[in-house]
Amino acid sequence: MQPSDLPDLAHTHARPAHWLATAAAMAGVVVLAGLLQPGSATATNPAAGARPAAADAPAPDAATAAYPLDCAGVPTAVPRTAGGDLDGDGRPETVAAAHCRAGSGTPPYGLYVLTGARSDADGGADATEGARVVATLVDPADALSIGDLAIRDGVVTATVLGYTSADVPRCCPDTRETVEWRWSGGRFLRTPATDR
């Protein structure tokens, strides 16, 4: 065998620079893999007696609810609604801003939480019943109106419009506050809105 027949082994000797480059590349792969991992999963036990609902269950239809408004024979208007699971039971609720239709001015609003009719399988009423009002977040007696309305991550956020005095015309609210309601301890707690 001639020396020219032997393979060139110059590149088979590991030098410190090669080891450092390999270590840096591996560290980069490990860091990248850590960044691309999904968020941590948590499991919770459902409350006793709670049944998970189908993921695609629709929120209750606000048009089918009977609102506790005294409209003296005029129809009810529901200009704003938002839907989402507020109490973590897997069933969506609807929050509806409702008022009596008025010929002029800004009628006071009620802000209500609605649930859907329970099916006979749940031990409840006939499924043909409409949505039910289960909580009042803003009472019409407070003479407020509702601007923006949304549900995100189980929190209701609304812009509440009001008046500084009885002298302010009812057409033109002059106060504005953004508030949130969270389900906690079996009731909805109202707080000033936080940036989320």
Side-chain angles (χ1 to χ4, degrees):
M1 185 182 261
Q2 298 290 330
S4 61
D5 294 333
L6 293 175
D8 183 11
L9 300 177
H11 293 293
T12 61
H13 297 295
R15 291 190 171 88
H18 290 134
W19 286 112
L20 287 174
T22 302
M26 291 301 293
V29 168
V30 169
V31 168
L32 185 60
L35 292 175
L36 296 178
Q37 294 215 359
S40 62
T42 58
T44 58
N45 290 329
R51 294 181 200 140
D56 59 353
D61 183 358
T64 65
Y67 296 96
L69 295 168
D70 182 10
C71 293
V74 299
T76 300
V78 184
R80 291 176 187 78
T81 64
D85 184 6
L86 300 177
D87 56 6
D89 68 352
R91 297 178 187 197
E93 286 79 30
T94 296
V95 176
H99 62 79
C100 300
R101 290 190 191 274
S104 62
T106 304
Y109 279 62
L111 188 62
Y112 304 102
V113 177
L114 312 175
T115 62
R118 293 165 47 140
S119 69
D120 288 332
D122 294 330
D126 183 359
T128 60
E129 290 182 13
R132 296 177 294 124
V133 174
V134 294
T136 300
L137 304 180
V138 173
D139 193 309
D142 296 333
L144 300 171
S145 56
I146 304 298
D148 296 330
L149 176 62
I151 295 175
R152 189 171 70 197
D153 299 329
V155 177
V156 178
T157 304
T159 303
V160 179
L161 308 170
Y163 307 91
T164 53
S165 74
D167 297 330
V168 177
R170 296 297 102 172
C171 66
C172 311
D174 64 344
T175 67
R176 176 185 194 94
E177 180 184 13
T178 304
V179 295
E180 296 177 344
W181 289 266
R182 286 179 173 78
W183 180 254
S184 178
R187 62 190 182 109
F188 287 99
L189 299 178
R190 177 179 167 164
T191 59
T194 57
D195 292 331
R196 295 158 39 84

